[in-house]
Amino acid sequence: MDEFEIIRRYFVRASSDSDIRIPIGDDGAVLQPSPDHDLVSVVDTLVSGVHFPESLEPADVGYRSVVVNLSDVAAMGARPRWMTLALTLREASHAWLERFAQGLFEAADEYAVTLVGGDTTRGSETVISVQILGDVRPGSALTRSGAAPGDGIFVTGCVGDAAAGLSILQSGAADSEDVDYLVRRFARPSARVAVGAAIAEFAHAAIDVSDGLYGDLEKMLLASGVAGSLELSKLPLSPQLTRLVKRDDALQFALSGGEDYELCFTADPDAAAIEELAEHLGVAISRIGGVNEGNGITCLSDGRPFDYSHPGYRHFH
Ligand code: ADP
Ligand code: MG
């Protein structure tokens, strides 16, 4: 199977998007952005053995490669539209490619994003790079830098599950429904695209939680030039996680585990509007702390200072 056959067999699909003027097959895709919108571009690379275990089901690899990028689009408050896929493979395995493409298109369909191009090469390890283009109304993109003293700090969904799931994949655990649930949160994370688009109307700052809540919150606060307090008892921990591990371990997964792809944002602490939104979209949104002047994060446990400092995942130390 040469690269042209791989592309034709696994990645060329019909699309009804008339804003794609020239699709896969030429030297470049030609796209017609919405006239009254700005383009948003994100890219993320997944290296086998670094960003996912080699043993991960190929359909999950495909699904995850799209979702981790959609999560960045969500954090910008944008709508995802088109994506490109740069794929480096050790070998052209039919079984792997078929399942990988299946997972990739599952995510693409779920979030209405169309594959418009890419690159396929042979290399010494599996490397998957997805770029997504999205659009947003001028001036309404969410950034990391808008948090202001007095804001509440919010997070979607539950934190810690995906990191626990990854740890289970790496070290094993006795089979149970809770274990399956956590592994699935790693293999098939949710991208909070609908939440991102909705909060773009009123949130002051946002970031997606890819490297761990503590480290990602720290990045957002630093970019905004403010400090924050984090109430550990308010962290949304799933019943599956809390049944399976001790509270300290659950906190560790939640604060520095990463892989959650939830959204962390700040806004006026008007809980009513946010509660309504959470209910409307069917996604939990928890208020976990507040923004104040200064720098750094103060962790509180039931109102009392709690010494916690652990960096999120860093690629290079
Ligand atoms: P070129 O040699 O001009 O870079 P290629 O032969 O690599 O072009 O690619 C041919 C077409 O297939 C291009 O439109 C390219 O965007 C698309 N393509 C290549 N690899 C992929 C892939 N993995 N997924 C989707 N489209 C791809
Ligand atoms: Mg070319």
Side-chain angles (χ1 to χ4, degrees):
M1 216 171 14
D2 64 20
E3 70 182 270
F4 305 106
E5 197 184 343
I6 291 175
I7 297 162
R8 193 177 46 74
R9 260 174 95 157
Y10 301 106
F11 299 117
V12 175
R13 287 203 330 180
S15 159
S16 58
D17 182 348
S18 60
D19 290 334
I20 303 171
R21 302 282 193 243
I22 299 178
I24 294 176
D26 219 300
D27 290 310
V30 178
L31 308 165
Q32 167 72 61
S34 305
D36 54 344
H37 284 69
D38 287 346
L39 274 182
V40 175
S41 163
V42 307
V43 62
D44 244 316
T45 298
L46 281 74
V47 180
S48 168
V50 177
H51 301 101
F52 60 91
E54 309 252 357
S55 60
L56 190 63
E57 158 64 34
D60 294 337
V61 176
Y63 190 92
R64 250 183 88 76
S65 337
V66 178
V67 165
V68 302
N69 279 281
L70 287 167
S71 175
D72 282 325
V73 175
M76 299 306 294
R79 170 177 69 147
R81 303 227 36 206
W82 306 300
M83 67 178 177
T84 55
L85 166 70
L87 196 55
T88 301
L89 300 171
R90 274 186 304 229
E91 51 176 4
S93 151
H94 168 74
W96 192 91
L97 276 162
E98 187 164 72
R99 283 178 302 166
F100 171 80
Q102 182 203 321
L104 179 115
F105 284 118
E106 245 179 89
D109 291 343
E110 193 176 329
Y111 293 93
V113 57
T114 308
L115 184 65
V116 297
D119 192 30
T120 307
T121 52
R122 188 185 289 269
S124 55
E125 52 199 320
T126 306
V127 181
I128 304 144
S129 196
V130 171
Q131 182 192 29
I132 297 188
L133 293 173
D135 60 18
V136 71
R137 286 195 183 287
S140 79
L142 286 167
T143 65
R144 297 178 177 186
S145 58
D151 283 0
I153 299 173
F154 299 85
V155 73
T156 59
C158 285
V159 279
D161 291 349
L166 174 60
S167 155
I168 291 164
L169 280 177
Q170 287 165 335
S171 340
D175 235 0
S176 73
E177 269 180 32
D178 288 346
V179 160
D180 286 352
Y181 176 85
L182 297 176
V183 167
R184 194 160 170 86
R185 292 305 296 157
F186 173 79
R188 300 265 169 154
S190 314
R192 302 303 185 188
V193 174
V195 176
I199 65 170
E201 305 294 324
F202 62 84
H204 297 160
I207 190 166
D208 70 316
V209 182
S210 53
D211 297 340
L213 179 62
Y214 189 95
D216 288 323
L217 173 61
E218 198 171 42
K219 282 182 216 159
M220 181 168 64
L221 295 172
L222 192 65
S224 299
V226 291
S229 64
L230 197 55
E231 177 52 74
L232 300 185
S233 61
K234 298 274 170 59
L235 287 184
L237 303 176
S238 72
Q240 289 85 351
L241 181 64
T242 46
R243 275 197 294 264
L244 218 58
V245 304
K246 292 196 294 282
R247 181 178 147 83
D248 278 1
D249 293 332
L251 284 178
Q252 191 72 25
F253 281 129
L255 290 172
S256 61
E259 315 293 346
D260 291 312
Y261 298 103
E262 297 296 345
L263 283 188
C264 178
F265 65 94
T266 82
D268 284 333
D270 170 11
I274 292 173
E275 265 170 41
E276 253 170 53
L277 178 71
E279 195 156 314
H280 176 66
L281 296 175
V283 178
I285 301 180
S286 310
R287 183 169 168 199
I288 55 171
V291 177
N292 34 67
E293 284 183 41
N295 59 70
I297 299 177
T298 310
C299 285
L300 302 169
S301 184
D302 298 316
R304 286 191 304 275
F306 179 92
D307 190 23
Y308 181 88
S309 54
H310 190 283
Y313 183 78
R314 305 246 163 100
H315 298 268
F316 303 99
H317 296 269

